[in-house]
Amino acid sequence: MKKILTEHKGKLILSSLVTLLPALAGWRLAWEAAALLAAHWLVLLIVFADRRNRENQSRKAIGLIFWVMPFVSLLTGGATVMLERGVRSAGALSSLMALGFGLLFILLGNYMPKFRQNSFMGIRVKWTLENEANWNATHRFGGKVWVAGGFACLAGALLPVQAMGVVFPAVLLVIMALPIAYSYHYDKVQPAAERTARPPIPPAQRWAARLIVAGVAVFAVWTLLMGSAEVRYGESSFTVAASGWEDLTVPYSDIAAVDYLPAEAVPDGGVRTYGLGNLRVGFGHFSNDAYGDYTRYTYRSCGDCVRLTTASGRTILLNGPDQAATRAIYETLRGQLGG
């Protein structure tokens, strides 16, 4: 491990600096860049933990691993800078992400045929891991599929944001499913004489893979269910103290109107342009046909909302985890406004 990192010391230092580059734009990006840097190092440690990557992996494939996370850092950092400078257009952000991921898929697709069998990167399914010929054929095919998916994303950047919301998930599904289906088919038609026995995986690598899968699963569940909000009332303003996202403070003097909307009167949320969204909450900036660019801090467990209209015409939607809490927010704000 030490030897391989020493051999790639220049790439390690340069890729780490590029990953941290968005931190120059502010404290929020500094935290994001630091998290991506930690992920960058973790990925490299995992990849180099496999002896086959240290001794027999393609140098081009290893070189690619050094630059995936820096690319993601620059892409997400660019999107965040646009948002912090007032670009709330869902179309502009969608186009940026489509262009970025399209280029990434094309790059990965070109390098995929160079991947050699290993435990941590590539199309790792039963049939590729058990047979080197299957691995090579699947990665040649998968490379073409990923390149095609990348060009589909580039073309999707020209589509309306609603269409891209369908195209991008479809591309992800295709580039993941088609190579796996091809590997399965190849396994069924490959002559038995060409099959090779799979070398045993060291126990340490098996446990490392299990821990990684378990960690990813726990993180995914936590991400889907995280988030809460508490409305705190002051003398001249109120604050929505949000867990998992930035707080929202609104002076009472900025509120032109407050209304209570039952679930059936609340428009579709539209597209989240900057914020936190999961199975539990939706916080941040959104865009829909009814309100244009607007702000919401809402729980999904309650369909009712309190709608605030500011003096500048901007809409803010709030609610609590249930109807009683939402009604309490409405009554308190009405009282603070003298209604």
Side-chain angles (χ1 to χ4, degrees):
M1 180 73 70
K2 182 178 179 181
K3 179 181 177 182
I4 196 74
L5 290 176
T6 301
E7 290 177 357
H8 295 278
K9 182 172 63 175
K11 290 180 183 176
L12 180 62
I13 294 173
L14 183 57
S15 62
S16 296
L17 290 175
V18 173
T19 303
L20 287 173
L21 193 60
L24 298 176
W27 69 269
R28 177 178 293 280
L29 281 169
W31 283 106
E32 293 178 1
L36 287 171
L37 179 63
H40 178 50
W41 276 73
L42 178 61
V43 168
L44 292 175
L45 290 173
I46 290 172
V47 168
F48 290 139
D50 190 332
R51 175 179 51 80
R52 288 171 291 185
N53 286 330
R54 297 196 302 268
E55 299 176 359
N56 194 42
Q57 187 57 261
S58 162
R59 293 189 66 84
K60 290 185 177 180
I62 291 294
L64 175 66
I65 297 300
F66 276 92
W67 295 107
V68 171
M69 204 61 70
F71 181 89
V72 172
S73 180
L74 292 177
L75 179 61
T76 57
T80 304
V81 168
M82 289 174 61
L83 289 163
E84 291 185 343
R85 294 190 176 182
V87 178
R88 303 294 182 191
S89 168
L93 294 170
S94 174
S95 296
L96 173 65
M97 300 307 288
L99 290 171
F101 279 101
L103 292 174
L104 181 61
F105 292 160
I106 291 171
L107 181 65
L108 291 172
N110 274 287
Y111 276 80
M112 196 173 288
K114 300 177 175 63
F115 289 0
R116 296 169 187 162
Q117 271 186 315
N118 69 98
S119 300
F120 294 107
M121 62 181 181
I123 302 168
R124 297 178 58 258
V125 292
K126 176 181 182 292
W127 311 289
T128 58
L129 292 174
E130 291 182 349
N131 187 278
E132 187 174 0
N134 190 311
W135 173 283
N136 293 335
T138 298
H139 281 76
R140 286 194 297 270
F141 175 78
K144 296 175 182 177
V145 172
W146 277 62
V147 168
F151 280 111
C153 285
L154 294 183
L158 304 176
L159 299 175
V161 63
Q162 293 83 359
M164 192 56 201
V166 176
V167 170
F168 188 68
V171 168
L172 284 179
L173 178 62
V174 168
I175 66 176
M176 295 178 68
L178 271 187
I180 295 175
Y182 178 88
S183 178
Y184 174 78
H185 173 73
Y186 189 95
D187 179 76
K188 296 303 178 185
V189 302
Q190 185 183 19
E194 296 181 5
R195 298 177 184 271
T196 57
R198 177 186 179 186
I201 299 177
Q205 290 186 17
R206 286 202 301 269
W207 278 106
R210 291 169 184 168
L211 288 173
I212 291 169
V213 171
V216 170
V218 170
F219 179 76
V221 171
W222 175 77
T223 301
L224 290 173
L225 300 177
M226 68 176 290
S228 62
E230 177 187 358
V231 182
R232 300 171 182 170
Y233 306 96
E235 293 184 2
S236 59
S237 65
F238 75 92
T239 297
V240 182
S243 170
W245 191 244
E246 61 190 18
D247 296 346
L248 171 71
T249 298
V250 181
Y252 299 128
S253 59
D254 285 354
I255 301 175
V258 56
D259 303 291
Y260 189 92
L261 302 181
E264 59 271 16
V266 178
D268 178 74
V271 178
R272 186 178 74 254
T273 58
Y274 185 46
L276 169 68
N278 56 28
L279 298 178
R280 179 175 169 79
V281 298
F283 296 160
H285 297 276
F286 291 73
S287 177
N288 65 13
D289 293 335
Y291 302 136
D293 294 330
Y294 74 104
T295 302
R296 71 184 297 151
Y297 280 72
T298 57
Y299 287 88
R300 299 191 185 278
S301 57
C302 180
D304 294 7
C305 287
V306 177
R307 180 179 64 192
L308 306 180
T309 305
T310 68
S312 62
R314 187 168 184 84
T315 298
I316 301 172
L317 294 185
L318 307 172
N319 72 7
D322 52 42
Q323 287 185 332
T326 304
R327 177 64 67 173
I329 293 172
Y330 172 72
E331 297 295 346
T332 304
L333 289 176
R334 290 274 296 177
Q336 291 288 349
L337 296 176

